[in-house]
Amino acid sequence: MKIEVVENVLKYNKDQADKNRNLFKNNNILVLNLLSSPGAGKTSLIIETIKRLKGKKDIGVIEGDISSTYDAEKIKKFTDNVVQINTGGTCHLNATMVAQAASKLKVENLDLILIENVGNLICPVGFDLGEDYKIVISSVNEGDDKPVKYPPVFIKSNLILLNKMDLIKISDFDQSFFDKKIGELNPRSEVIKLSCKTGIGLEKWVKWVLDCCRNKNDM
Amino acid sequence: MKIEVVENVLKYNKDQADKNRNLFKNNNILVLNLLSSPGAGKTSLIIETIKRLKGKKDIGVIEGDISSTYDAEKIKKFTDNVVQINTGGTCHLNATMVAQAASKLKVENLDLILIENVGNLICPVGFDLGEDYKIVISSVNEGDDKPVKYPPVFIKSNLILLNKMDLIKISDFDQSFFDKKIGELNPRSEVIKLSCKTGIGLEKWVKWVLDCCRNKNDM
């Protein structure tokens, strides 16, 4: 009984995700689904991305939280194209929530949508939102063992961002261990090391985003 | 249909949690359920607690992870009384998993069981394991807004530990904002500020644990 219900939920989600994907494709919008633990730096990365792409790309932001509009308010200082989803306790976004949020963005004007998923390294991985790419943000202070302890999100992501590199010298983070484990789990995905605080790696990240926008337009 | 299944799952969990609670009570064992985001310092806190209570209290540890035995191996250097639960992808421990793990510990010899829940600030909150107290560990580098963004775990916890205090001077963590929000959500629960790295606050934490052991024995 339980499995059947879960399957129905995932099937329903997949159907809605496909509709989202069509909507985004018809409007030439690149959509990135940002996944991480709480406090790994998703919101800061979104703000830095908006700042650096100002005048180049029109960006919409979908903010997912179990409650509050705290992050959307932060982002509203940099763009009006932001919609907050409150999941009401649910531990991940789903495709229906994203469809509703997208209906409040002027999608015909956008080049890029950044979705900040609920801070959770486990549950959001299984829910397709219709995005082009999943991106996991791991932060130095969470420790070098996150790929070992939470493999699915590292396996399923198309890009791995290692944030808060400014803290690496005062931490016991073993970079070669982290890289080795990522290499075992997901050898095809690039790792970009960055710090939203110092700006390290942000140029590389922005280039990655722009390359993806270009590839999407060529499709 | 879906709601009915969820209710059955929670009812079943509650029944098993009550059985666990009886087992722990009959053996005079204090049981603490440690909740946090990935990488907030649950494992380090467990190790520091074992070191400081050596010769005073016999401690068992139940390690919860979606996969790997990485944390249990770390803890095994300090005690043999450790059991690893691999949830196989599930985002929280439940009472049945804890019952199975407890059956592998020599409960008749123990004074205290520390349960390290899966690193997840959302899902584990709803699942009673039969513990005496829920304890949330928030770390400075996750940011001061965690109580605003993830209220349930801060509301339901009996003690709030703010870890990685050694990083507070180089972060933009606003201590008064954090304290204010905790005061609004859960004014009865104490906040202990600590750093497993420097040892700040660990004496206070150990005293809290010993007081709880004493109170449990007096019941």
Side-chain angles (χ1 to χ4, degrees), chain A residues 13-92:
Chain A
N13 186 71
K14 179 72 172 63
D15 291 345
Q16 182 60 56
D18 287 339
K19 288 183 198 166
N20 294 353
R21 213 176 333 269
N22 279 336
L23 174 75
F24 300 143
K25 195 180 172 191
N26 292 340
N27 287 278
N28 272 322
I29 305 173
L30 178 76
V31 179
L32 305 178
N33 181 5
L34 304 178
L35 309 166
S36 85
S37 306
K42 295 183 293 303
T43 311
S44 302
L45 182 71
I46 289 172
I47 290 172
E48 293 305 320
T49 310
I50 294 170
K51 283 196 217 164
R52 278 165 173 78
L53 290 179
K54 200 167 185 173
K56 290 182 192 162
K57 295 290 173 192
D58 285 314
I59 304 179
V61 179
I62 296 175
E63 276 293 321
D65 281 298
I66 60 172
S67 64
S68 90
T69 55
Y70 197 75
D71 281 350
E73 284 163 29
K74 275 191 196 168
I75 288 169
K76 216 161 175 67
K77 293 175 189 162
F78 301 91
T79 178
D80 282 331
N81 297 324
V82 55
V83 178
Q84 175 83 50
I85 299 172
N86 278 163
T87 66
T90 299
C91 52
H92 58 269

Side-chain angles (χ1 to χ4, degrees), chain A residues 128-175:
Chain A
D128 184 0
L129 307 179
E131 74 273 8
D132 293 286
Y133 299 113
K134 285 182 169 58
I135 298 172
V136 61
I137 307 176
S138 200
S139 69
V140 160
N141 41 267
E142 289 171 68
D144 51 34
D145 58 356
K146 291 299 140 312
V148 182
K149 295 189 54 192
Y150 304 88
V153 71
F154 291 93
I155 293 170
K156 294 271 184 78
S157 289
N158 306 92
L159 175 69
I160 292 139
L161 300 178
L162 180 59
N163 194 20
K164 307 199 188 179
M165 284 298 289
D166 51 296
L167 294 175
I168 202 157
K169 280 187 183 161
I170 56 161
S171 79
D172 47 11
F173 190 94
D174 183 340
Q175 182 75 64

Side-chain angles (χ1 to χ4, degrees), chain B residues 95-144:
Chain B
T96 305
M97 296 173 190
V98 168
Q100 287 168 348
S103 74
K104 292 177 189 167
L105 291 170
K106 289 175 189 141
V107 289
E108 60 280 8
N109 298 337
L110 297 178
D111 304 302
L112 170 64
I113 293 178
L114 300 171
I115 302 175
E116 177 168 346
N117 218 310
V118 178
N120 181 332
L121 217 45
I122 306 170
C123 315
V125 187
F127 286 80
D128 184 1
L129 307 180
E131 74 274 8
D132 292 286
Y133 300 112
K134 286 182 169 56
I135 297 172
V136 60
I137 308 177
S138 199
S139 69
V140 161
N141 39 266
E142 288 170 69
D144 50 36

Side-chain angles (χ1 to χ4, degrees), chain A residues 96-152:
Chain A
T96 304
M97 296 174 190
V98 168
Q100 287 168 347
S103 74
K104 293 179 188 165
L105 291 170
K106 289 176 187 138
V107 289
E108 60 279 10
N109 299 336
L110 298 178
D111 304 303
L112 170 65
I113 292 178
L114 300 172
I115 302 175
E116 176 167 348
N117 218 310
V118 177
N120 183 330
L121 217 44
I122 306 170
C123 315
V125 187
F127 287 80
D128 184 0
L129 307 179
E131 74 273 8
D132 293 286
Y133 299 113
K134 285 182 169 58
I135 298 172
V136 61
I137 307 176
S138 200
S139 69
V140 160
N141 41 267
E142 289 171 68
D144 51 34
D145 58 356
K146 291 299 140 312
V148 182
K149 295 189 54 192
Y150 304 88

